[in-house]
């Protein structure tokens, strides 16, 4: 089934399809009417058509195709395939797809299997999803003027994860742009062996609302949220099968040029796992980190507004699909922006991830012992999924806590002296400590704060940690990486480490009445290591 629309305006196309969807029509049933041509508008707009595309296993995927304006018969054009994000319909990328088509690409976007009107069940980037990508490429080569030698893949969130995985299996893919995605499922929603409650519940709820979760997803989601520790090996294996980090050999062998983009505060796919994956890629690569939360850095671009994330994505495709010498490959491969200025200043460039925080580290000792009663929220927490990091991005208002007023029975607090100069924190803060539990299982969360003169701490970073099966009363060492960040602590402020045992973002495993003691043995002192950029 094919529907055709000649577009002179991205807004007209999106509005028409959204209106049809609101009236109960399927996206592929809507035909965008051409808007009146504006003065100076191109006489030959990009061509948009809606299609039923055969997926793997006999299902049908709902998709759309943009072809370049004035496409010439017999001429081939570079192809870009865009799988949709989790819970999003096929119109998600209309604005960017039209821009790419205007630049000479054939662009195919489709609703990922199991969502909306696409067939099948939600497989969470399982083998059927990666097979769908190859099936869509096959269809595009047979039904559009796409060039088999110049194929790119990209997407946001779920589309990013599928794109990375597909690049391990289909050597025809020459360039990938993966924005706000994941490379390691386990490190994304089970870091520190701790269930990321709000993130998993949000994804699960959206899946049930907009699609049809498969039986495997239903089982895993129930086990995960139900804290089925006996099912942990199966859940981890399920996650590994859906992690590009586990398929590096295939990705590197195929050699696609890969651009990764993410936000410092991504509450679904934290940045650490992307950085670790980036370091292991051997082909052309680029890593960008900005302020924000999940998909907020590229969100305005999906509406057709100016957006540097998408501008760089276009440059990446132009370089590796068209061969344009636009300089994107000669820039420093790692490009980051600090949270403290709202991301308004120019990027900081680094040769690799290891060079971030190149000035070395400041080690803050954590002396003395602190004993905590577990199971009570002290008031220190990582915020609310999406909302907190969006406020940080646009209002420079991260989660805060009054550090002097935190109840010491439920929160351990260590503070540095007042800083004698600005501290530009860049990279991954690391905690090393010794823990003695009174129960076999437990959870704690570590927070790093920028504490001002009035004692109000602004959250710099945090991370959870859970243990199971530890002998009661026996000490053990912990090395915990907090979520990577870029944050500037002003002169005169203090840096504080706070540890408590409850955070609404996570599922905690502290038995009633349990206690945790954090100590600093003389032979193995505790500390927090803060990576810094040169002033």
């Amino acid at each position: 089934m094919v529907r055709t629309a000649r577009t002179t305006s991205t807004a007209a196309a999106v509005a028409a399809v959204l209106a049809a969807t609101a009236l109960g029509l399927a996206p592929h049933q809507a035909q965008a009417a051409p808007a009146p041509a504006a003065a100076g508008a191109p006489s030959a707009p990009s061509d948009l058509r809606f299609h039923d595309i055969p997926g793997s296993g006999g299902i049908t995927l709902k998709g759309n195709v943009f072809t370049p304006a004035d496409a010439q018969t017999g001429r081939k054009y570079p192809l870009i395939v865009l799988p949709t994000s989790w819970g999003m319909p096929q119109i998600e990328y209309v604005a960017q797809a039209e821009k790419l088509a205007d630049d000479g690409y054939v662009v195919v976007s489709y609703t990922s299997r199991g969502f909306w009107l696409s067939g099948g069940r939600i497989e969470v980037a399982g083998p059927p999803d990666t097979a769908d990508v190859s099936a869509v490429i096959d269809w595009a080569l047979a039904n559009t003027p796409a060039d088999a030698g110049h194929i790119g893949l990209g997407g946001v969130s779920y589309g990013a994860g599928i794109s990375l995985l597909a690049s391990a299996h289909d050597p025809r893919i020459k360039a990938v742009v993966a924005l706000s995605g994941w490379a390691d499922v386990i490190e994304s929603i089970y870091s520190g062996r701790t269930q990321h409650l709000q993130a998993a519940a949000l994804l699960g709820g959206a899946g049930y609302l907009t699609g049809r979760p498969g039986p495997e997803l239903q089982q895993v989601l129930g086990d995960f949220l139900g804290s089925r520790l006996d099912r942990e090996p199966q859940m981890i294996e399920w996650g590994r099968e859906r992690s590009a980090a586990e398929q590096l050999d295939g990705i590197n062998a195929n050699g696609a040029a890969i651009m990764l983009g993410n936000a410092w505060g991504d509450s679904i796919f934290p940045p650490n796992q992307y950085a670790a994956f980036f370091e292991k890629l051997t082909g052309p690569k680029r890593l960008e980190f900005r302020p924000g939360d999940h998909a907020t850095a590229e969100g305005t671009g999906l509406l057709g507004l100016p957006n540097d994330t998408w501008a760089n994505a276009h440059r990446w495709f132009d370089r590796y699909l068209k061969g344009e010498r636009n300089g994107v490959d000669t820039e420093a491969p790692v490009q980051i922006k600090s949270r403290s200025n709202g991301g308004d200043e120019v990027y900081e460039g680094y040769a690799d991830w290891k060079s971030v925080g190149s000035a070395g580290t400041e080690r803050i000792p954590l002396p003395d012992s602190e004993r905590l009663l577990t199971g009570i929220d002290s008031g220190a927490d990582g915020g609310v999924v999406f909302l907190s990091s969006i406020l940080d991005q646009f209002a420079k208002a991260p989660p805060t806590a009054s550090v002097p007023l935190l109840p010491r029975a439920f929160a351990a607090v260590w503070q540095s002296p007042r800083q004698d100069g600005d501290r530009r924190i860049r990279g991954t803060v690391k905690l090393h400590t010794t823990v003695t539990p009174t129960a076999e299982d437990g959870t704690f969360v570590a927070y790093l704060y920028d504490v001002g003169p009035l004692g109000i701490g602004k959250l710099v970073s945090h991370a959870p940690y859970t243990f199971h099966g530890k002998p009661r009363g026996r000490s053990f060492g912990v090395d915990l990486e907090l979520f990577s960040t870029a944050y500037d602590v002003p002169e005169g402020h203090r840096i504080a480490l706070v540890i408590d045992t409850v955070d609404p973002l996570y599922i905690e495993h502290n038995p009633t009445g349990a206690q945790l003691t954090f100590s600093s043995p003389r032979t193995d002192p505790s500390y927090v290591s803060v990576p810094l950029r040169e002033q």
Side-chain angles (χ1 to χ4, degrees), residues 82-86 88-90 92-93 109-112 156 158-159:
L82 303 172
T84 58
S85 302
W86 186 269
M88 294 295 290
Q90 57 167 303
E92 176 184 11
Y93 301 112
S109 177
Y110 68 92
T111 303
S112 299
V156 175
Y158 193 48

Side-chain angles (χ1 to χ4, degrees), residues 14 22 109 177 181 194 273 372 470:
V14 174
S109 177
V177 171
T194 307
Q273 45 92 32
L372 303 183
K470 294 293 185 181

Side-chain angles (χ1 to χ4, degrees), residues 6 11 37 71 76 99 104 118 132 179 187-188 218 224 262 282 286 312 384 386 403 411 417 441 448 450 466 489 530:
R6 298 290 289 179
K76 298 294 184 180
K99 290 182 179 182
S118 281
D132 283 343
L179 306 176
E187 283 300 309
S188 293
Q218 295 180 45
F224 186 82
N262 204 357
T282 58
R286 181 180 177 95
N312 288 338
V384 179
F386 279 126
V403 174
D441 306 318
L448 195 76
D450 159 24
T466 295
V489 178
V530 181

Side-chain angles (χ1 to χ4, degrees), residues 34 110 120 176 201 206-207 255 261 282 284 290 356 438 446 461 499 507:
Y110 68 92
V176 174
T282 58
R290 303 172 179 81
V356 178
T438 61
S461 184
I499 296 178
I507 292 177

Side-chain angles (χ1 to χ4, degrees), residues 28 36 115:
H28 74 283
F115 289 101

